[in-house]
Amino acid sequence: MVITLTDQAANQVKEMMKEEEEGVRLRFGIKGGGCSGLSYSIGFDYEVNEELDMVDDINGIPVTIFKQDIPIIEGTTIDFKQNMMGGGFSIDNPNAIVSCGCGSSFKAEKREGAPEKC
């Protein structure tokens, strides 16, 4: 398994998926940008490219990951934390060598990206 979704994260994603159309998948990956050079991309998608995407079922959720991103996100845990200010997803990536204070931007040894202003 490339990534792990905690029970809290899986429950939150399942709740969010109820508002989407049939056949929706969670898409997780990375994109360039953010103050450290790379940012996480998490959202819903209906499209799968058999050549470019890896498809998996993680904690009962259909997940799509761009194959090119796997070396940078392998071993990542996605959690959902609730507090008095609301809730949000937190991402723990063992491949991140630098993380931004905002928690969504990072730098990986194998790919640095191009930093932007936060």
Side-chain angles (χ1 to χ4, degrees):
M1 194 174 328
V2 175
I3 65 170
T4 300
L5 289 170
T6 65
D7 290 341
Q8 294 84 355
N11 290 337
Q12 182 64 32
V13 170
K14 287 175 185 174
E15 281 300 310
M16 295 167 69
M17 288 176 81
K18 289 178 182 178
E19 298 177 22
E20 299 293 324
E21 295 178 26
E22 186 75 25
V24 69
R25 311 181 75 72
L26 179 70
R27 180 173 285 278
F28 179 70
I30 58 170
K31 59 185 178 180
C35 41
S36 295
L38 298 171
S39 294
Y40 296 106
S41 175
I42 187 168
F44 294 123
D45 198 353
Y46 296 90
E47 304 294 321
V48 173
N49 183 319
E50 299 285 334
E51 291 180 31
L52 301 177
D53 293 328
M54 181 207 78
V55 176
D56 202 356
D57 185 277
I58 301 173
N59 210 351
I61 296 171
V63 177
T64 304
I65 297 172
F66 189 44
K67 289 177 184 176
Q68 180 178 317
D69 294 345
I70 291 173
I72 299 159
I73 61 170
E74 188 144 21
T76 294
T77 299
I78 302 173
D79 194 10
F80 184 82
K81 300 189 190 261
Q82 189 76 35
N83 61 34
M84 292 176 60
M85 300 297 287
F89 290 98
S90 66
I91 300 171
D92 180 20
N93 182 350
N95 303 301
I97 57 173
V98 173
S99 292
C100 180
C102 64
S104 65
S105 180
F106 70 102
K107 184 185 297 185
E109 187 174 329
K110 295 180 182 179
R111 190 164 143 202
E112 293 185 7
E116 299 173 350
K117 288 185 175 183
C118 280

